Amino acid sequence: RANVVRRDDNLQPEGDFQKRPDQTWAPGERANIVKRGDNLQPEGEFQKRPDQTWAPGERANIVKRGDNLQPEGDFSKRPDATWAPGERANIVRRDDNLHPEGDFHKRPDQTWAPGERANIVKRGDNLQPEGEFSKRPDAIWAPGERANVVRRDDNLQPEGEFQKRPDQTWAPGERANIVKRGDNLQPQGEFQKRPDQTWAPGERANIVRRGDNLQPEGDFSKRPDQTW
């Protein structure tokens, strides 16, 4: 390992350092507050909304039109259908035209045998450490260098007397009087209530039971008895 070479520094400060000059505090200049006059003034008298009197609106008369659609002639109902068994084609079983020829070759029996495994070859290590290992030198603890604490003087000082907020006395706020307006909507004439309805049973169609069009044919073959 090569030795550590530390080069000398060829940059050196020349002359005296110029520090920031001390500044003394002085209050800043503040412009006077100028409040401009308002150049917009209302002219003449304000015209308020004219009072409107209530009057009932016009309502058209209710006209009920007659129905111009009427059934004509007799209704034709569905004709009664009589049951008849459907036609069923005879079952035709076709002969099989595919037949195996010759003898079948079955898979030969295979006996189990362990597989071949290559021998384990352990290679030698061709990397060897040379010389002595240099361990890390023991470090001795020492406290670090700490700069001295310098407390600067405060260059901001209050001048004159502080003006506190003037005391305010509580007084209730002004509240407008409550004005309740009259209702300008009034019902006219008499109300027509719903006429009384008497209960009557509804019309119900007669129950029609249709005949069954599925009938068993032939003899039933029951399951043969099984002995356990």
Side-chain angles (χ1 to χ4, degrees):
R1 184 176 181 181
N3 297 327
V4 179
V5 178
R6 297 183 182 275
R7 304 296 182 184
D8 295 332
D9 193 1
N10 57 355
L11 297 177
Q12 301 295 333
E14 297 179 357
D16 297 332
F17 283 101
Q18 294 180 358
K19 65 179 181 179
R20 183 179 297 173
D22 297 332
Q23 296 179 357
T24 57
W25 180 85
E29 298 179 0
R30 185 174 180 181
N32 297 327
I33 299 173
V34 179
K35 294 187 177 182
R36 305 295 181 184
D38 193 1
N39 58 353
L40 298 177
Q41 300 294 334
E43 297 180 356
E45 296 180 357
F46 284 100
Q47 294 180 358
K48 64 179 181 179
R49 183 178 295 173
D51 297 332
Q52 296 179 358
T53 56
W54 178 84
E58 298 179 359
R59 184 175 180 182
N61 296 327
I62 298 172
V63 178
K64 293 188 178 181
R65 305 294 182 184
D67 193 1
N68 58 354
L69 298 176
Q70 300 293 336
E72 297 180 356
D74 296 333
F75 285 99
S76 57
K77 64 181 181 178
R78 183 179 295 173
D80 297 334
T82 56
W83 178 82
E87 297 179 359
R88 184 176 180 181
N90 296 326
I91 298 174
V92 178
R93 295 184 181 274
R94 304 295 182 184
D95 295 331
D96 193 1
N97 57 354
L98 297 178
H99 293 286
E101 297 180 356
D103 297 332
F104 282 100
H105 295 286
K106 65 180 181 179
R107 183 179 296 173
D109 297 333
Q110 296 178 357
T111 56
W112 179 83
E116 298 179 359
R117 184 176 180 182
N119 296 326
I120 299 173
V121 178
K122 293 188 177 181
R123 305 297 181 183
D125 194 359
N126 58 355
L127 297 178
Q128 300 295 333
E130 298 179 356
E132 296 180 358
F133 285 100
S134 58
K135 64 180 181 179
R136 182 179 297 174
D138 298 332
I140 302 173
W141 180 83
E145 296 179 0
R146 184 175 181 182
N148 296 327
V149 178
V150 178
R151 297 184 182 275
R152 305 295 181 185
D153 295 333
D154 193 2
N155 58 353
L156 298 177
Q157 301 294 334
E159 296 181 356
E161 296 180 358
F162 284 100
Q163 294 180 358
K164 64 179 182 179
R165 183 179 296 175
D167 297 333
Q168 297 179 357
T169 57
W170 180 83
E174 298 180 358
R175 185 175 179 181
N177 297 326
I178 298 173
V179 178
K180 293 186 178 182
R181 305 294 181 184
D183 193 1
N184 59 353
L185 298 176
Q186 300 294 335
Q188 295 180 354
E190 296 180 358
F191 284 100
Q192 295 180 359
K193 64 180 182 178
R194 183 179 295 173
D196 298 333
Q197 296 179 358
T198 57
W199 179 84
E203 296 180 359
R204 184 176 180 182
N206 296 328
I207 299 174
V208 178
R209 296 184 182 275
R210 304 295 182 184
D212 192 1
N213 57 356
L214 298 177
Q215 300 295 333
E217 297 180 356
D219 297 331
F220 283 100
S221 57
K222 65 181 182 178
R223 182 179 296 173
D225 297 332
Q226 295 179 357
T227 56
W228 179 74

